[in-house]
Amino acid sequence: MRNTYIPYPVRIKQTRVETEDKQLKSFQLEFINDADAEAFKYAPGQFAELSVSGYGEIPIGIASSPTEGKDLLFTVNKVGVVSSRLHDMKAGDVMGVRGPLGNSYPLKAAEGKNIVIVAGGFAVTTLRSTMIWLLDPANRKKYGEITFIYGARTPGMLLYTEEWKSWQASGQANVHVTIDREAPGWDGLVGFVPTVTGEVAPKPDNAIALICGPPIMIKFTQPVFDKMGWQPDQIVMSLENRMKCGIGICGRCNVGPHYVCKDGPVFTKAQLDKLPREY
Amino acid sequence: MAEKILAKDKLEGFLGALRQSHEVFAPAMVEGKVAWAPVEGAEGLLWEFANSEMSPKDFFFPQTECMMRFVNKADDPQGMIMQAEPLLNKQRALLNIRPCDAKAFQVLDLIFIQDEMTNDIYWRDKREKTVLIGLACNDPCPTCFCTSVNCGPHHETGLDLLLVDLGDKFLVKVLTDKGEALTKDLPAAGAEEAKAASALKAKAEAQITAKVGMDKVNAAEVMPLYELPLWDRVMENCLNCGTCTFCCPTCHCFDIQDETSGEAGRRVRNWDYCMSWLFTMHGTGHNPRGAKKDRVRQRFMHKFKYIPMKRGGEIGCVGCGRCVQLCPVNIDVRAVVNQMNG
């Protein structure tokens, strides 16, 4: 009987400040024990509890894709005790990872379909995982058109810029990246994610949409999809809530009868329409 | 299922044998209140008591529990790596546990132990190493409503043995293999004794007049219940003090915190409660249950709608009535559920 509260020990291999406000930092983690790396089998959309001994744990979406090898990538927003401590840690430091936790994006069920990904701000993390996974040659052929819409406040707040530029260049996906307002040196799209989504106008036929972003973005993006004729079961969203155990016991992350940590974080709009908006 | 007899003058011998292999606990009068205490012998055991003020859930889910430890030293090769706390190194027996509390733990088993990932080793280990010897209620309290929530004063679910007090002896219902192992030397009960126990059961059940209806709650969707105007009224009285959650045998929410003292570090879990605003607050300051009403509603919805939906109709309440007795502003769960069902 495995103790699923004990984190796997990992070492920070590399850190990278991602945004101009220095609030977002990425951590590449390598497992200390090979057996743990073997045991950690995950899919895009899942998350893990990052453990910093003496400070606690935080639930963070996995930004790496299982197609990238054994190391894990997390991009962490600095907001509380654990994330602040984590931001002070450096390559070589030992911490822990517990997971993988939660369900994942329904990529198996979406085979043969067009996929529209809409990301806002740093919620792009698990959608990075999804894009890397989808564009892997072994997976790409199973899907139709892939559309990636991503927005941030300024060019300096965009994550993974080299990567989405390469997706764009590859011709494997339709990439639409936008910033809120004109900025010097930016020659890409300008405007909020809901507006850009309306302009790109992805068709609902044989398609699913994966949406992850701040509540305000989701609030204004949903009606855009509704107007274009998308049905609630075609729209898939990833939620976050405060969590502790991460395995559906400790009681705080529920939305109605469902625990975001165990039954989510990925839900369809059809599911959420029947539940309290406690997220 | 075998029924046996334990004469009260044989109780000391039964306990002696039990104590050879188990650490035994039972409700006792402690500073004027009924509380769980270690058992040294038959003397001082209570046979007529309502129930312990606090449920015995802390035998399985302690108020504070160390889950793992680490050496708080980054330059130590083993430093900062969490090591699991050792499990229970003994067998225990809870004697005279009331049927409602035993039933509560059976409901919690469905939550703590679900699958390979949701397999709470701390809960499970203590459950597996503890035998539950129940004492049937022959004289329920006015606050009891177990018969409305899949339970009862002589309920057997979750128990290894159920004792029914027949005056000078107990009828012992043997309910599991663990219970069988402890009672193999006891004589079988006769038809008269079984009949007397049945009569006591019927009398106790009849004595519980408080009724809670769940039929409409069960049939309803989540949102109509969530949006009932009654939450505005219940919320007005509630202090969000959490007393109901701490005394409740099925409330199981917890927090996990790290503690360090020099080079010693540990990760502990503590009882937490849904009445606290911090319980759900995001790191960003956003709070999905930021208003008192949200939190009050959560407790009732969790027990009477969400748990039944997720756990095959099992209810997150066993009708023990502790929250009715202890709520400082007299919120009565029975009235709230009847309004939900109204």
Side-chain angles (χ1 to χ4, degrees):
Chain A
M1 181 165 48
R2 188 161 82 83
N3 184 335
T4 48
Y5 288 107
I6 306 291
Y8 297 123
V10 293
R11 193 170 282 115
I12 299 175
K13 204 163 170 179
Q14 206 182 326
T15 68
R16 186 174 68 223
V17 176
E18 293 281 5
T19 51
E20 61 190 1
D21 67 352
K22 299 182 181 171
Q23 276 288 113
L24 289 162
K25 202 169 184 179
S26 287
F27 298 83
Q28 189 184 351
L29 308 177
E30 63 177 336
F31 287 93
I32 289 175
N33 305 313
D34 285 342
D36 297 345
E38 268 320 297
F40 198 97
K41 295 241 183 297
Y42 68 102
Q46 289 195 285
F47 70 98
E49 289 277 0
L50 300 186
S51 164
V52 181
S53 296
Y55 295 82
E57 292 184 312
I58 42 171
I60 305 289
I62 306 173
S64 50
S65 159
T67 54
E68 292 180 291
K70 289 178 179 175
D71 289 352
L72 301 176
L73 180 74
F74 295 89
T75 302
V76 179
N77 187 20
K78 182 173 159 181
V79 284
V81 172
V82 180
S83 58
S84 297
R85 171 62 191 163
L86 195 52
H87 269 239
D88 288 340
M89 291 172 73
K90 54 190 188 307
D93 286 348
V94 170
M95 52 178 282
V97 168
R98 188 158 66 84
L101 302 170
N103 64 0
S104 55
Y105 291 119
L107 296 176
K108 183 77 191 162
E111 283 184 9
K113 294 185 179 176
N114 299 324
I115 296 184
V116 178
I117 288 177
V118 182
F122 64 90
V124 69
T125 54
T126 58
L127 294 172
R128 175 202 180 270
S129 171
T130 307
M131 280 299 286
I132 301 274
W133 189 91
L134 286 171
L135 297 184
D136 187 83
N139 300 320
R140 181 64 189 89
K141 56 182 183 282
K142 297 178 196 160
Y143 299 89
E145 265 189 35
I146 295 174
T147 305
F148 178 76
I149 301 168
Y150 170 39
R153 271 175 285 157
T154 63
M157 291 302 289
L158 288 163
L159 299 177
Y160 318 133
T161 299
E162 294 305 311
E163 287 167 331
W164 58 256
K165 281 186 175 168
S166 77
W167 304 336
Q168 202 165 31
S170 74
Q172 298 282 307
N174 310 314
V175 175
H176 309 274
V177 176
T178 181
I179 58 167
D180 288 358
R181 274 172 221 92
E182 297 279 358
W186 176 257
D187 57 0
L189 297 171
V190 175
F192 295 117
V193 166
T195 314
V196 170
T197 305
E199 286 162 6
V200 171
K203 291 200 172 43
D205 316 306
N206 191 34
I208 67 159
L210 312 179
I211 306 180
C212 197
I216 188 80
M217 184 206 90
I218 290 179
K219 187 177 166 190
F220 288 107
T221 303
Q222 273 183 9
V224 175
F225 275 92
D226 293 344
K227 216 168 142 189
M228 295 186 295
W230 288 69
Q231 298 304 306
D233 62 351
Q234 290 179 283
I235 300 175
V236 174
M237 288 182 282
S238 181
L239 304 185
E240 34 177 52
N241 256 351
R242 187 183 177 103
M243 293 174 189
K244 288 288 178 170
C245 76
I247 52 177
I249 306 175
C250 84
R252 74 199 63 230
C253 72
N254 72 295
V255 172
H258 304 301
Y259 281 118
V260 173
C261 71
K262 186 167 177 74
D263 306 305
V266 175
F267 296 92
T268 64
K269 182 170 178 287
Q271 285 177 295
L272 296 178
D273 282 347
K274 293 180 174 174
L275 297 173
R277 293 185 71 91
E278 291 190 345
Y279 45 87
Chain B
M1 183 187 66
E3 294 187 338
K4 302 201 169 185
I5 290 296
L6 172 59
K8 285 195 175 168
D9 58 11
K10 297 274 197 291
L11 189 62
E12 201 68 71
F14 176 79
L15 282 178
L18 184 63
R19 290 182 63 229
Q20 295 271 313
S21 49
H22 294 74
E23 197 174 351
V24 184
F25 300 87
M29 200 51 93
V30 180
E31 294 175 359
K33 286 179 178 172
V34 179
W36 284 81
V39 170
E40 309 295 335
E43 199 180 333
L45 285 175
L46 302 181
W47 301 105
E48 286 175 20
F49 61 98
N51 203 348
S52 54
E53 183 174 57
M54 295 294 280
S55 91
K57 72 180 170 189
D58 61 343
F59 283 102
F60 308 102
F61 174 51
Q63 192 160 2
T64 290
E65 174 170 37
C66 178
M67 304 174 90
M68 57 197 88
R69 294 180 192 274
F70 66 98
V71 177
N72 188 27
K73 221 177 147 195
D75 56 0
D76 181 324
Q78 285 307 306
M80 314 315 279
I81 296 177
M82 290 289 182
Q83 307 292 346
E85 189 72 347
L87 299 176
L88 203 62
N89 58 2
K90 59 196 171 195
Q91 299 287 319
R92 302 179 308 187
L94 300 190
L95 178 67
N96 294 349
I97 183 171
R98 289 301 190 186
C100 54
D101 288 333
K103 166 73 187 180
F105 303 146
Q106 184 256 343
V107 173
L108 289 185
D109 284 342
L110 304 176
I111 293 164
F112 278 95
I113 308 165
Q114 296 180 32
D115 52 39
E116 196 187 345
M117 197 68 188
T118 306
N119 191 342
D120 193 300
I121 198 167
Y122 305 98
W123 170 271
R124 183 171 174 165
D125 176 60
K126 295 181 196 71
R127 288 285 283 155
E128 288 174 351
K129 291 173 182 166
T130 308
V131 61
L132 298 188
I133 304 174
L135 179 63
C137 296
N138 288 342
D139 192 16
C141 305
T143 45
C144 293
F145 60 104
C146 51
T147 48
S148 293
V149 284
N150 299 342
C151 191
H154 286 227
H155 206 68
E156 297 165 4
T157 307
L159 290 168
D160 296 294
L161 296 171
L162 176 66
L163 309 182
V164 183
D165 194 338
L166 299 178
D168 58 347
K169 62 193 164 198
F170 299 102
L171 179 103
V172 184
K173 294 192 177 187
V174 182
L175 303 168
T176 64
D177 292 344
K178 263 190 201 171
E180 169 66 29
L182 297 174
T183 53
K184 51 184 187 297
D185 297 334
L186 296 182
E192 278 305 305
E193 289 150 334
K195 206 172 140 193
S198 293
L200 286 169
K201 181 182 176 185
K203 179 173 163 278
E205 284 172 354
Q207 204 174 317
I208 297 172
T209 53
K211 292 283 177 268
V212 169
M214 290 276 295
D215 53 323
K216 290 179 194 145
V217 173
N218 290 335
E221 297 278 333
V222 168
M223 288 314 289
L225 295 171
Y226 186 86
E227 286 165 346
L228 285 173
L230 85 98
W231 304 121
D232 289 308
R233 298 195 297 275
V234 182
M235 174 271 277
E236 278 183 350
N237 289 349
C238 181
L239 307 174
N240 273 186
C241 71
T243 299
C244 53
T245 69
F246 297 132
C247 67
C248 177
T250 64
C251 272
H252 58 276
C253 291
F254 59 85
D255 188 18
I256 300 177
Q257 290 287 334
D258 283 16
E259 298 176 345
T260 54
S261 172
E263 288 181 7
R266 60 181 204 157
R267 181 163 288 165
V268 298
R269 74 164 156 206
N270 303 312
W271 290 358
D272 204 345
Y273 69 124
C274 55
M275 297 293 135
S276 155
W277 57 273
L278 189 59
F279 188 63
T280 48
M281 197 179 78
H282 291 201
T284 57
H286 169 67
N287 198 337
R289 289 198 282 268
K292 187 169 83 165
K293 176 178 161 183
D294 302 329
R295 302 191 286 274
V296 173
R297 172 171 52 198
Q298 163 63 17
R299 183 161 187 275
F300 294 105
M301 288 292 283
H302 190 198
K303 291 188 174 307
F304 297 96
K305 187 61 189 171
Y306 303 156
I307 289 179
M309 279 177 82
K310 287 295 248 190
R311 308 290 156 218
E314 291 286 358
I315 305 167
C317 172
V318 292
C320 72
R322 287 184 177 93
C323 58
V324 182
Q325 290 172 357
L326 294 177
C327 176
V329 294
N330 295 326
I331 293 174
D332 188 325
V333 62
R334 299 169 297 185
V336 174
V337 177
N338 281 330
Q339 287 176 72
M340 286 171 79
N341 203 51

